[in-house]
Amino acid sequence: MALSHDLPIYRDTMKLLSLIIEKTKCYPRFYLYTVGEKMVNINLDMLSLIYRANSSYENKHDD
């Protein structure tokens, strides 16, 4: 299995994170710390879950 950072879904999620961070810079303060922060955190969770799923798959198929 490929490394997580080589997977298309991982790369696309990283691109999404970059876009979210860039776009939220222009948000008013109230939205930046509510909506913007939540979007960034959800995206980071997605990256973590992709990594964990890929690691779990590799551990099961090392035989």
Side-chain angles (χ1 to χ4, degrees):
M1 188 75 186
L3 297 174
S4 293
H5 61 272
D6 292 333
L7 297 173
I9 190 168
Y10 189 87
R11 286 193 313 254
D12 291 345
T13 306
M14 284 296 292
K15 288 179 191 174
L16 178 61
L17 178 60
S18 178
L19 286 171
I20 289 171
I21 290 171
E22 186 62 34
K23 294 296 181 182
T24 57
K25 288 180 183 178
C26 302
Y27 280 17
R29 182 173 291 168
F30 175 77
Y31 294 111
L32 176 63
Y33 292 110
T34 55
V35 178
E37 186 175 342
K38 185 156 184 133
M39 288 190 304
V40 169
N41 287 336
I42 288 171
N43 201 283
L44 290 172
D45 289 344
M46 289 173 16
L47 287 169
S48 176
L49 290 170
I50 292 166
Y51 175 82
R52 287 176 55 197
N54 191 52
S55 296
S56 174
Y57 181 85
E58 287 177 352
N59 290 339
K60 289 181 181 178
H61 293 89
D62 280 341
D63 300 334

